[in-house]
Amino acid sequence: MTPQQPLIPLRPVADIPPAPASATGIVPQSSDTTLQDTHGRRFSYLRLSVTDVCNFRCNYCLPDGYQCSDTPAPLSLDEIATLAQTFAALGTRKIRITGGEPSLRKDLPEIIRILKNTAGIEQVALTTNGYRLSKQIDDWVAAGLDQLNVSIDSLDPQQFQAITGHDKLQEILNGIERARALGLTRIKVNAVLLKTFNESGLGQFLNWLKATPVTLRFIELMQTGDNAGFFAAQHVRGEDIKQQLLQDGWQPKLRGSHDGPAQEFYHPDFSGQIGLIMPYSQDFCKSCNRLRISAQGKLHLCLFGEEGYELRPLLHHASADIQQHIRTLLGQKKESHYLQAGRTGAISHFAMIGG
């Protein structure tokens, strides 16, 4: 992605006075100062990418595996702490750690601990491909993890390997059971819908939910800059799944204040629940409540936006300047991602900024 300059005037970094020593703990402001865009949407949820490296080769994201690049090093612990404090002061109450694959960072437990100990942050979540889940979940929970999302695109071991390039399904399922045993109750499993890989396995997923108290979220495949042919061959409409669920007695759930865009459903005969993420549905963007920070410290107003805005050069200076800069940038957030019109923005794959 070619670096873009912010579209608004910004004081040179050298002209911004250093933060005083007392600014190590930024006091969260009251809820009425929560970030809000020009379309009336409020943003209390931040997705924080801590690496763009991923060790899976999912056919819908990185079919050729991660390609090394000369991008700057990912955010340091100090930079992550400053970002968390800054966004907490702007009304952020939930931070989700994403990648790439965040467990590839050896300091992931410390990242979780930093976010959990940030005044104003109420929920710390993690999205992982599960590769190291069974070995590291104890450390993550001990550090303060509140919510876990794990990607499992098929419950058939052969199909799972065909999609991801790894024969790890049972180990990942064991990791989820360990998370439950540790008392983690907010567990979600993400599955990207793919016509010839897992659409026929929906019944297997439903059988699993009979006795497994997790939320299974079916995600519509989204078109990016480099998957047009794959998208055309594999896209499954989430609306079709929704109508089938309603016919089978599934009932809509109310949406929580910090929830993402999924429409969630429950059924009295099932221990688990189902969520649908349908970015091509009408008015999908009206419920947007999240912003994104890339592993290199760029603010992305939308997953499918054309550019990221540099925050990293400001992270060692006065908090008020960073906060005002973020507020001003938010004024440029568009009403929609226009994905339904075929605009995919600058993103070429989801590992770039955590999906």
Side-chain angles (χ1 to χ4, degrees), residues 265-339:
F265 305 84
Y266 71 95
H267 194 294
D269 297 335
F270 287 76
S271 296
Q273 300 176 359
I274 291 179
L276 292 172
I277 298 179
M278 301 179 288
Y280 292 91
S281 61
Q282 187 176 8
D283 297 334
F284 177 80
C285 294
K286 281 190 174 181
S287 64
C288 184
N289 64 350
R290 63 182 60 187
L291 298 171
R292 292 171 168 83
I293 298 291
S294 75
Q296 283 74 42
K298 290 185 178 182
L299 172 66
H300 290 261
L301 303 177
C302 177
L303 177 59
F304 292 94
E306 293 292 342
E307 56 209 322
Y309 300 97
E310 292 281 4
L311 295 184
R312 196 171 202 173
L314 305 180
L315 296 183
H316 304 287
H317 298 274
S319 170
D321 291 278
I322 310 173
Q323 293 179 42
Q324 184 55 48
H325 186 45
I326 292 170
R327 287 188 182 281
T328 306
L329 288 172
L330 190 57
Q332 301 177 36
K333 185 170 173 62
K334 297 180 173 63
E335 185 176 14
S336 171
H337 53 32
Y338 302 112
L339 193 59

Side-chain angles (χ1 to χ4, degrees), residues 229-240:
F230 187 86
F231 174 82
Q234 298 295 336
H235 181 247
V236 177
R237 292 180 71 247
E239 183 63 30
D240 295 340

